[in-house]
Amino acid sequence: MNDFEQCPTEGAIGLLSLLITRGRLAEARLDGSLAAAGLTFVKWRALDALIKSETATGLTVLADKLNCVKSNVTQLVDKLEAEGIVRRVPDPGDRRGTLVELTGAGRGLHKAGRDALENATRQLFASFDEDAMASLRRLLILL
Amino acid sequence: MNDFEQCPTEGAIGLLSLLITRGRLAEARLDGSLAAAGLTFVKWRALDALIKSETATGLTVLADKLNCVKSNVTQLVDKLEAEGIVRRVPDPGDRRGTLVELTGAGRGLHKAGRDALENATRQLFASFDEDAMASLRRLLILL
DNA sequence: CATTTATAATTCAATAGTGTACTATTAACT
DNA sequence: AGTTAATAGTACACTATTGAATTATAAATG
């Protein structure tokens, strides 16, 4: 009995159901792979966004990149800051603004997290070839 | 600037990121379409599982069908029962057990919900043809 | 310049979901 | 039968996320 049979399988609603449950499953797996490092996938995505951004990043921009609301980022950054992973610095050009930057520890954790994620990802996509992954990406973007 | 560009786009991790965010997005849309009926997609899936099951359903079985933990179902059924959508009845064959069954109101709500969902689903899959939907289903099942 | 409008971030209350511990009951095994 | 192990459901504390209200600052406009 695989998970597929536990979902409504008929029609488009069943397909969305499958998408949603598979997304949750994937997130749970990734969270599991990051737990040893004290991270979650959401936290890691925040670090990843920070490391990839050319310029220092304000909280609103970060919320956009993480597809969540500002108040969520406020609390996420609270935690990351308490853990010494990021640092808040005032935006020199806008006294309302706060910029977030990685600490050295944060940079190390991002790297460790990426390694863990690459492992977990290989397992999740064990039965995918390059074509299947490209197809999945193309289809998801259509949504 | 579409959502795709807000996700890490590289490699397998990016693809999982895309899957997770698209799943969340889809759920939010479906929840929105059901809000007028006082439902969420999770609630509707519970009703759907109940309506489709041949025999009366215990909470543990329901938890399996909804891919969540038992305590979650306890609380979900608490709410549904308070709203008059389902009813708890003792399992005649096992004094530990509780079975859940739909009320008449619940049956009506399931139908109303399905109509709302079919609408929302059509919009979400606006740019999908039959082939694309079949491909997506086939790929998600591999995960 | 004064006033209105928009924006950055935070606080707080509410909701959904998880995991652990617990109670009651059933099944399994001497 | 008596003890042990497994199972059904619940209670409760904790986390993640959201949305509304609030404060401070910036931008736009009469």
Side-chain angles (χ1 to χ4, degrees):
Chain A
M1 175 177 72
N2 67 26
D3 283 358
F4 173 53
E5 309 194 60
Q6 296 171 355
C7 295
T9 55
E10 307 151 22
I13 298 176
L15 181 51
L16 282 178
S17 204
L18 185 60
L19 170 69
I20 291 166
T21 53
R22 285 302 197 257
R24 288 191 189 203
L25 179 68
E27 184 160 18
R29 295 271 182 88
L30 298 185
D31 282 349
S33 78
L34 290 168
L39 287 176
T40 63
F41 189 52
V42 170
K43 281 181 179 179
W44 184 85
R45 282 224 294 146
L47 303 193
D48 195 53
L50 291 175
I51 233 170
K52 280 179 177 148
S53 76
E54 310 289 327
T55 107
T57 312
L59 297 202
T60 302
V61 172
L62 196 49
D64 283 346
K65 294 193 184 181
L66 301 178
N67 307 112
C68 67
V69 298
K70 286 181 306 171
S71 60
N72 194 359
V73 171
T74 294
Q75 297 171 69
L76 180 60
V77 170
D78 284 350
K79 278 176 246 163
L80 294 173
E81 198 171 25
E83 294 164 0
I85 297 172
V86 305
R87 185 169 33 230
R88 266 184 250 242
V89 301
D91 183 338
D94 183 342
R95 268 182 298 180
R96 294 168 301 180
T98 304
L99 304 177
V100 189
E101 57 184 31
L102 283 171
T103 63
R107 249 173 270 275
L109 219 51
H110 173 266
K111 189 165 162 40
R114 193 182 46 211
D115 294 344
L117 284 174
E118 273 168 4
N119 257 315
T121 295
R122 245 191 304 279
Q123 291 184 285
L124 271 165
F125 285 130
S127 51
F128 279 64
D129 57 18
E130 282 302 320
D131 266 9
M133 290 184 56
S135 297
L136 181 56
R137 172 173 271 123
R138 188 175 41 76
L139 289 165
L140 288 175
I141 290 168
L142 288 179
L143 268 174
Chain B
M1 174 177 70
N2 68 25
D3 283 356
F4 175 53
E5 310 196 59
Q6 295 171 356
C7 296
T9 55
E10 308 153 20
I13 297 177
L15 181 51
L16 282 178
S17 203
L18 185 59
L19 170 69
I20 291 166
T21 54
R22 285 301 198 257
R24 288 191 189 204
L25 180 67
E27 183 161 19
R29 295 270 183 87
L30 298 185
D31 282 349
S33 77
L34 290 169
L39 287 175
T40 63
F41 189 53
V42 169
K43 281 182 180 178
W44 184 85
R45 281 223 295 146
L47 303 193
D48 195 53
L50 291 175
I51 232 170
K52 280 180 177 148
S53 75
E54 311 290 328
T55 108
T57 312
L59 298 201
T60 302
V61 172
L62 196 51
D64 283 347
K65 294 193 183 182
L66 301 178
N67 306 113
C68 68
V69 298
K70 288 181 305 172
S71 59
N72 195 0
V73 171
T74 295
Q75 297 169 69
L76 180 59
V77 171
D78 283 349
K79 277 176 245 164
L80 293 173
E81 198 171 26
E83 293 163 2
I85 296 172
V86 305
R87 185 168 34 231
R88 266 184 249 239
V89 301
D91 183 338
D94 184 342
R95 269 182 297 180
R96 294 168 301 181
T98 305
L99 304 177
V100 189
E101 57 184 32
L102 283 171
T103 63
R107 249 173 271 275
L109 220 49
H110 174 265
K111 190 164 160 41
R114 195 182 45 212
D115 293 346
L117 284 174
E118 273 168 5
N119 257 316
T121 295
R122 245 190 305 279
Q123 291 185 285
L124 271 165
F125 285 131
S127 50
F128 279 64
D129 56 18
E130 283 302 321
D131 267 8
M133 289 182 58
S135 296
L136 181 56
R137 173 173 271 122
R138 186 174 43 76
L139 289 164
L140 289 175
I141 290 169
L142 289 181
L143 266 176

